Amino acid sequence: QRLIRPEGDGYLFGHALLRDGIYGSLLTTRRRALHLRAAEWYRQHDDELYARHLDMAGDERTAKAYLEASRQAAANLDFERALVLATRGAEVAVEPPVRIQLNLTRGDLRLQAGAIDEANKAFETVAHLTNENRIHCRALIGLATGLTVRDRLDEALNALDRAEALIRKDGDDALETELYYRRGDILFALGRAEECLTAHEQAEELSRKSRNSLLEIRALAGMADAYYAQGRMQTAYGYLDRCVTLARQEKRLPQELGNLSMRGLTRFYDGSVQDALEDEHESIRLAARYGNLRAEMSGYVDLALIYLYTNQIDEAEQAARRGLELARRLGAARFFGDNLVAIGEALVLKGRREEGLQYIEHAYQAALDSVPTHVAPFILGVMARLTTDEERSSWAITEGQRYLDQGSLS
């Protein structure tokens, strides 16, 4: 009774030291045999414990078992566990095909968690391991996605150009759809609205042929971005509503999170303020729960803007400060300006004019240091509206118009 005690349908050791001592006294061959017996039982009951026991037995099936366990954890929305399993699998994998799949999985999960540098390393590992055009292309698209978050947009476009050359050799419609979607995403950030629409139209056409729900969801999101960039908010909302609805039907949580806050923003521009706030709060809640830093940051950026325009000034400042914190954690410099300008405007409206104007100046500099076409004209508009310096206001209007003439999201 001191060695073991009943626990449900089984037993537990009375102390961890007892367990470790007994385990350590087993001969290696005996220990391995017991782990294999345990693995065989768990094979039909628990993917993770099946993989763990194979691992402790040193079995050659271990890496593949970790891959399946990781995929199952992701399907169950336990993305943190999925990443742990994929990482361990990649550490023990010997066969290149399994190592490749584990690193692709690990890269996708790290992107979702906001660990961009680690994600890029995983995709680069795949690119070096494979000789298959399709896999190499998949890795380059993943790398381009990470580079986009880091605002290394020229490098991201270059990676997609390399991927496109590989696709042409194999004619993979699914990868081509994703490639056009990612290219459109970058062109959106650069404010190149017509090119953005062209890329997303190509993605949408291919997605319809594929009958693949994930590709269709992404294509709908891309078309929404393209029309948003042109200021066609009702059309953008229509695409986003279809996108979010389909993502929910197909239980594609990452895609739902990636587009819910944007749907909220288009609802706001259409005058549906309460619906907009509900989308933003739901986006932030789910993103925080499942560790999606990018989606959480986007929610706070949009929420700060909505709060400002509905005269909820303290809430706007709080949302923008949280958005800035997340943008810094992600290394997403493109979004520093969005948050800094919202903090600045909130401070001015609270009577702290000089401090607020300093934040707005910092926001403009942050925009210049990253992707000016993303938000610089908007910041200049806020500056022109809030400064008491007529000369500075006139300069801001002229400079903002110059950016708009060049092409800008603002």
Side-chain angles (χ1 to χ4, degrees):
Q1 290 181 349
R2 293 180 179 179
L3 293 176
I4 59 174
R5 65 173 186 269
E7 179 75 17
D9 295 333
Y11 295 88
L12 289 177
F13 284 104
H15 196 282
L17 291 176
L18 286 172
R19 178 201 62 199
D20 294 345
I22 294 170
Y23 184 80
S25 70
L26 295 172
L27 295 175
T28 302
T29 53
R30 176 63 173 160
R31 188 186 307 168
R32 184 174 187 276
L34 289 172
H35 278 304
L36 288 174
R37 284 181 63 187
E40 192 58 34
W41 189 87
Y42 280 118
R43 185 174 190 172
Q44 303 299 325
H45 298 88
D46 189 310
D47 289 338
E48 179 177 349
L49 288 176
Y50 172 61
R52 296 286 186 193
H53 280 288
L54 288 178
D55 192 358
M56 288 185 281
D59 192 90
E60 61 185 10
R61 296 169 292 175
T62 298
K64 190 172 182 179
Y66 274 123
L67 176 61
E68 294 305 318
S70 176
R71 288 172 172 169
Q72 186 58 51
N76 292 334
L77 307 182
D78 191 346
F79 300 112
E80 185 176 350
R81 174 58 51 190
L83 178 56
V84 169
L85 294 168
T87 299
R88 177 56 185 162
E91 290 171 353
V92 301
V94 176
E95 296 297 321
V98 182
R99 285 183 67 194
I100 286 168
Q101 291 302 318
L102 282 160
N103 275 290
L104 286 174
T105 300
R106 189 168 57 148
D108 288 339
L109 290 166
R110 287 198 179 280
L111 274 180
Q112 186 174 308
I116 307 302
D117 292 339
E118 292 86 348
N120 288 347
K121 287 177 184 177
F123 292 127
E124 287 169 349
T125 297
V126 172
H128 288 129
L129 282 174
T130 187
N131 292 317
E132 291 186 42
N133 287 341
R134 185 179 61 82
I135 299 297
H136 195 177
C137 176
R138 172 72 179 78
L140 287 170
I141 292 172
L143 179 61
T145 305
L147 291 169
T148 302
V149 176
R150 286 284 194 231
D151 297 322
R152 294 160 60 183
L153 303 184
D154 289 339
E155 292 176 67
L157 285 173
N158 179 264
L160 292 181
D161 288 342
R162 289 157 55 200
E164 187 172 22
L166 297 173
I167 287 175
R168 287 173 180 166
K169 296 178 182 179
D170 283 10
D172 189 311
D173 285 348
L175 281 175
E176 193 171 4
T177 303
E178 187 169 1
L179 183 144
Y180 284 128
Y181 166 72
R182 295 297 177 191
R183 180 175 286 154
D185 189 38
I186 298 167
L187 295 169
F188 174 82
L190 291 168
R192 290 155 61 176
E194 290 299 329
E195 294 172 85
C196 172
L197 178 59
T198 298
H200 285 309
E201 284 175 337
Q202 291 170 310
E204 186 186 35
E205 181 180 354
L206 286 166
S207 74
R208 286 197 299 265
K209 296 178 183 178
S210 72
R211 299 182 181 276
N212 181 312
S213 62
L214 176 58
L215 297 180
E216 186 178 351
I217 290 165
R218 286 177 172 164
L220 289 169
M223 290 298 291
D225 279 350
Y227 284 114
Y228 178 92
Q230 295 184 355
R232 297 170 63 178
M233 296 301 168
Q234 289 184 338
T235 304
Y237 167 73
Y239 276 105
L240 283 163
D241 193 48
R242 289 165 57 196
C243 170
V244 171
T245 299
L246 182 58
R248 285 173 173 169
Q249 288 174 353
E250 298 293 327
K251 294 181 171 54
R252 296 280 188 177
L253 182 65
Q255 285 67 44
E256 178 187 344
L257 289 179
N259 294 286
L260 189 55
S261 66
M262 193 69 169
R263 187 179 75 170
L265 189 59
T266 57
R267 280 178 153 172
F268 168 70
Y269 284 126
D270 195 38
S272 303
V273 176
Q274 192 55 46
D275 289 338
L277 288 172
E278 287 177 6
D279 272 355
E280 301 303 343
H281 285 298
E282 180 70 356
S283 172
I284 290 167
R285 184 186 69 80
L286 289 173
R289 178 179 177 183
Y290 292 106
N292 191 321
L293 294 186
R294 174 84 172 190
E296 187 179 1
M297 177 202 69
S298 297
Y300 278 113
V301 169
D302 295 341
L303 189 60
L305 183 67
I306 295 169
Y307 277 147
L308 278 173
Y309 284 112
T310 54
N311 204 35
Q312 299 178 71
I313 308 306
D314 288 336
E315 293 85 349
E317 182 186 353
Q318 292 168 12
R321 289 190 183 280
R322 177 59 177 157
L324 181 60
E325 177 189 344
L326 291 167
R328 285 173 171 162
R329 284 176 62 186
L330 282 164
R334 189 182 356 141
F335 294 93
F336 293 176
D338 297 78
N339 291 292
L340 287 166
V341 74
I343 295 169
E345 182 164 3
L347 291 172
V348 171
L349 293 173
K350 291 166 71 171
R352 295 157 62 182
R353 177 172 294 277
E354 291 305 316
E355 184 182 359
L357 290 174
Q358 286 180 2
Y359 267 95
I360 293 168
E361 293 287 349
H362 290 322
Y364 180 56
Q365 188 58 54
L368 294 182
D369 291 341
S370 55
V371 186
T373 51
H374 170 69
V375 76
F378 175 82
I379 294 170
L380 288 165
V382 174
M383 185 188 296
R385 177 162 48 85
L386 296 180
T387 184
T388 56
D389 184 334
E390 291 186 8
E391 186 176 336
R392 185 65 171 167
S393 177
S394 179
W395 170 85
I397 291 170
T398 302
E399 189 70 1
Q401 186 61 54
R402 183 176 69 83
Y403 278 111
L404 291 174
D405 292 341
Q406 292 175 357
S408 171
L409 286 181
S410 298

